[in-house]
Amino acid sequence: MKLLILFVSTLLFGTADLTGIRQQYLNAAKSAQVTQDLYDSLKDVSDSSSENTLVAYKAAALTLRAKHEKGMLTKKKLFTQGAKLLEAVIERDADNYEARLIRLSIQENAPKITGYNKKIAEDKTFIIRNYKAQKSDLKEYTQGFVKVSASITKEDKAAFN
């Protein structure tokens, strides 16, 4: 049923709805199939699309695909491709709150060997500073992330109430 809704929304709106994409992203780390479904729903989004949030989720899907791959070279290729795409999104749209939230979640969960953890403090500060200006659905989504975040301290969590 979920796939049918995703398919219909893709036909009607060109891409899947952001709420559905967010939910898939939350579940993707646990399942190779959900990760592939997330990527499939975003693969037609152009890397240079003005829909920067969707491009950021596409980048995240690439990094998550790396997690579920078996070969080290394929893992590295997918992760690097996703990280570069996400960095490009943030470079062209530095104030994109959701892209920064995605990057923070990836950095927290990326294997240390990738070296993809240099902007955790920057993203955390950005998220805290800009949280109150977000719409309620994105605030709720952020609160879910904050509950499980390794970089958001107990003191920082007060900013998300």
CSV table of all heavy atoms in Angstrom, one decimal, residues 21-39 60-61 64-65 67-68:
chain,number,residue,atom,x,y,z
A,21,ILE,N,9.1,10.9,2.2
A,21,ILE,CA,10.6,10.8,2.1
A,21,ILE,C,11.2,10.9,3.4
A,21,ILE,O,12.1,10.0,3.7
A,21,ILE,CB,11.1,12.0,1.2
A,21,ILE,CG1,10.6,11.9,-0.2
A,21,ILE,CG2,12.6,12.0,1.3
A,21,ILE,CD1,11.1,10.7,-1.0
A,22,ARG,N,10.8,11.7,4.3
A,22,ARG,CA,11.3,11.8,5.7
A,22,ARG,C,11.1,10.5,6.4
A,22,ARG,O,12.0,10.0,7.0
A,22,ARG,CB,10.6,12.9,6.5
A,22,ARG,CG,11.1,14.3,6.1
A,22,ARG,CD,10.3,15.3,6.9
A,22,ARG,NE,10.6,16.7,6.4
A,22,ARG,CZ,9.8,17.7,6.5
A,22,ARG,NH1,8.5,17.5,7.0
A,22,ARG,NH2,10.1,18.9,6.1
A,23,GLN,N,9.9,9.9,6.3
A,23,GLN,CA,9.6,8.7,6.9
A,23,GLN,C,10.5,7.5,6.4
A,23,GLN,O,11.0,6.7,7.2
A,23,GLN,CB,8.2,8.3,6.8
A,23,GLN,CG,7.7,7.2,7.7
A,23,GLN,CD,8.0,7.4,9.2
A,23,GLN,OE1,7.7,8.4,9.7
A,23,GLN,NE2,8.7,6.5,9.8
A,24,GLN,N,10.7,7.5,5.1
A,24,GLN,CA,11.5,6.5,4.5
A,24,GLN,C,13.0,6.6,5.0
A,24,GLN,O,13.6,5.7,5.3
A,24,GLN,CB,11.5,6.6,3.0
A,24,GLN,CG,10.3,5.9,2.3
A,24,GLN,CD,10.5,5.9,0.8
A,24,GLN,OE1,10.7,7.0,0.2
A,24,GLN,NE2,10.4,4.8,0.2
A,25,TYR,N,13.4,7.9,5.1
A,25,TYR,CA,14.8,8.1,5.5
A,25,TYR,C,15.0,7.6,6.9
A,25,TYR,O,16.0,7.0,7.2
A,25,TYR,CB,15.1,9.6,5.4
A,25,TYR,CG,16.5,10.0,5.9
A,25,TYR,CD1,17.6,9.5,5.2
A,25,TYR,CD2,16.7,10.8,7.0
A,25,TYR,CE1,18.9,9.8,5.7
A,25,TYR,CE2,18.0,11.1,7.5
A,25,TYR,CZ,19.1,10.6,6.8
A,25,TYR,OH,20.3,10.9,7.2
A,26,LEU,N,14.0,7.8,7.8
A,26,LEU,CA,14.1,7.4,9.2
A,26,LEU,C,14.2,5.8,9.2
A,26,LEU,O,14.9,5.3,10.1
A,26,LEU,CB,12.9,7.8,10.0
A,26,LEU,CG,12.8,9.3,10.3
A,26,LEU,CD1,11.5,9.6,10.9
A,26,LEU,CD2,14.0,9.8,11.1
A,27,ASN,N,13.6,5.2,8.3
A,27,ASN,CA,13.6,3.7,8.3
A,27,ASN,C,14.7,3.1,7.5
A,27,ASN,O,14.9,1.9,7.6
A,27,ASN,CB,12.2,3.2,7.9
A,27,ASN,CG,11.1,3.6,8.8
A,27,ASN,OD1,11.3,3.6,10.0
A,27,ASN,ND2,10.0,3.9,8.3
A,28,ALA,N,15.3,3.8,6.7
A,28,ALA,CA,16.3,3.3,5.7
A,28,ALA,C,17.5,2.7,6.3
A,28,ALA,O,18.0,1.7,5.8
A,28,ALA,CB,16.7,4.4,4.7
A,29,ALA,N,18.0,3.2,7.4
A,29,ALA,CA,19.2,2.7,8.0
A,29,ALA,C,19.0,1.2,8.4
A,29,ALA,O,20.0,0.4,8.5
A,29,ALA,CB,19.6,3.5,9.2
A,30,LYS,N,17.8,0.8,8.7
A,30,LYS,CA,17.5,-0.5,9.2
A,30,LYS,C,17.3,-1.5,8.1
A,30,LYS,O,17.2,-2.7,8.4
A,30,LYS,CB,16.3,-0.5,10.1
A,30,LYS,CG,16.4,0.4,11.3
A,30,LYS,CD,15.1,0.6,12.0
A,30,LYS,CE,15.1,1.8,12.9
A,30,LYS,NZ,13.8,2.4,13.1
A,31,SER,N,17.1,-1.1,6.9
A,31,SER,CA,16.6,-2.0,5.8
A,31,SER,C,17.2,-1.6,4.5
A,31,SER,O,17.0,-0.5,4.0
A,31,SER,CB,15.1,-1.9,5.8
A,31,SER,OG,14.6,-2.5,4.6
A,32,ALA,N,17.8,-2.6,3.8
A,32,ALA,CA,18.3,-2.4,2.5
A,32,ALA,C,17.2,-2.1,1.5
A,32,ALA,O,17.3,-1.3,0.6
A,32,ALA,CB,19.1,-3.6,2.0
A,33,GLN,N,16.1,-2.7,1.7
A,33,GLN,CA,14.9,-2.5,0.8
A,33,GLN,C,14.3,-1.1,0.9
A,33,GLN,O,14.0,-0.5,-0.1
A,33,GLN,CB,13.8,-3.6,1.0
A,33,GLN,CG,12.7,-3.5,0.0
A,33,GLN,CD,13.2,-3.7,-1.4
A,33,GLN,OE1,13.8,-4.7,-1.8
A,33,GLN,NE2,12.9,-2.7,-2.3
A,34,VAL,N,14.2,-0.7,2.2
A,34,VAL,CA,13.7,0.7,2.4
A,34,VAL,C,14.7,1.7,1.8
A,34,VAL,O,14.3,2.7,1.2
A,34,VAL,CB,13.4,1.0,3.8
A,34,VAL,CG1,12.9,2.4,4.1
A,34,VAL,CG2,12.3,0.0,4.4
A,35,THR,N,15.9,1.5,2.0
A,35,THR,CA,17.0,2.3,1.4
A,35,THR,C,16.8,2.4,-0.1
A,35,THR,O,16.9,3.5,-0.7
A,35,THR,CB,18.4,1.9,1.8
A,35,THR,OG1,18.5,1.9,3.2
A,35,THR,CG2,19.4,2.7,1.2
A,36,GLN,N,16.7,1.2,-0.7
A,36,GLN,CA,16.5,1.2,-2.2
A,36,GLN,C,15.3,1.9,-2.6
A,36,GLN,O,15.3,2.6,-3.6
A,36,GLN,CB,16.6,-0.3,-2.7
A,36,GLN,CG,16.7,-0.4,-4.2
A,36,GLN,CD,17.9,0.3,-4.8
A,36,GLN,OE1,19.0,0.1,-4.3
A,36,GLN,NE2,17.7,1.1,-5.8
A,37,ASP,N,14.2,1.7,-1.9
A,37,ASP,CA,12.9,2.3,-2.2
A,37,ASP,C,13.1,3.9,-2.1
A,37,ASP,O,12.6,4.6,-3.0
A,37,ASP,CB,11.8,1.9,-1.3
A,37,ASP,CG,11.4,0.4,-1.5
A,37,ASP,OD1,11.8,-0.2,-2.5
A,37,ASP,OD2,10.7,-0.1,-0.6
A,38,LEU,N,13.8,4.3,-1.1
A,38,LEU,CA,14.0,5.8,-0.9
A,38,LEU,C,14.8,6.3,-2.1
A,38,LEU,O,14.5,7.3,-2.7
A,38,LEU,CB,14.8,6.0,0.4
A,38,LEU,CG,15.3,7.4,0.6
A,38,LEU,CD1,14.1,8.4,0.7
A,38,LEU,CD2,16.1,7.5,1.9
A,39,TYR,N,15.9,5.6,-2.5
A,39,TYR,CA,16.7,6.0,-3.6
A,39,TYR,C,15.9,6.0,-4.9
A,39,TYR,O,15.9,6.9,-5.7
A,39,TYR,CB,17.9,5.1,-3.7
A,39,TYR,CG,18.8,5.5,-4.9
A,39,TYR,CD1,19.5,6.7,-4.9
A,39,TYR,CD2,18.7,4.8,-6.1
A,39,TYR,CE1,20.2,7.1,-6.0
A,39,TYR,CE2,19.4,5.2,-7.2
A,39,TYR,CZ,20.2,6.4,-7.2
A,39,TYR,OH,20.9,6.8,-8.3
A,60,ALA,N,21.6,11.5,0.8
A,60,ALA,CA,21.5,10.7,2.0
A,60,ALA,C,21.2,9.2,1.6
A,60,ALA,O,21.8,8.3,2.1
A,60,ALA,CB,20.5,11.2,2.9
A,61,ALA,N,20.3,9.0,0.6
A,61,ALA,CA,20.0,7.7,0.1
A,61,ALA,C,21.3,7.0,-0.4
A,61,ALA,O,21.5,5.8,-0.2
A,61,ALA,CB,18.9,7.7,-0.9
A,64,LEU,N,23.4,5.9,2.4
A,64,LEU,CA,22.8,4.7,3.1
A,64,LEU,C,22.9,3.5,2.2
A,64,LEU,O,23.0,2.4,2.8
A,64,LEU,CB,21.3,5.0,3.4
A,64,LEU,CG,21.1,5.9,4.6
A,64,LEU,CD1,19.6,6.4,4.6
A,64,LEU,CD2,21.4,5.2,5.9
A,65,ARG,N,22.8,3.6,0.9
A,65,ARG,CA,23.0,2.4,0.1
A,65,ARG,C,24.4,1.8,0.3
A,65,ARG,O,24.6,0.6,0.3
A,65,ARG,CB,22.9,2.8,-1.4
A,65,ARG,CG,21.4,3.0,-1.8
A,65,ARG,CD,21.3,3.3,-3.3
A,65,ARG,NE,21.8,2.3,-4.1
A,65,ARG,CZ,22.3,2.5,-5.4
A,65,ARG,NH1,22.2,3.7,-5.9
A,65,ARG,NH2,22.7,1.5,-6.1
A,67,LYS,N,26.0,1.7,3.1
A,67,LYS,CA,25.9,0.9,4.3
A,67,LYS,C,25.5,-0.6,4.0
A,67,LYS,O,25.9,-1.5,4.7
A,67,LYS,CB,24.9,1.5,5.3
A,67,LYS,CG,24.6,0.7,6.5
A,67,LYS,CD,23.6,1.4,7.4
A,67,LYS,CE,23.4,0.5,8.7
A,67,LYS,NZ,22.7,1.1,9.7
A,68,HIS,N,24.6,-0.7,3.1
A,68,HIS,CA,24.0,-2.0,2.8
A,68,HIS,C,24.7,-2.8,1.8
A,68,HIS,O,24.4,-4.0,1.5
A,68,HIS,CB,22.5,-1.9,2.4
A,68,HIS,CG,21.7,-1.3,3.5
A,68,HIS,ND1,21.5,-1.9,4.7
A,68,HIS,CD2,21.1,-0.1,3.6
A,68,HIS,CE1,20.7,-1.1,5.5
A,68,HIS,NE2,20.4,0.0,4.8
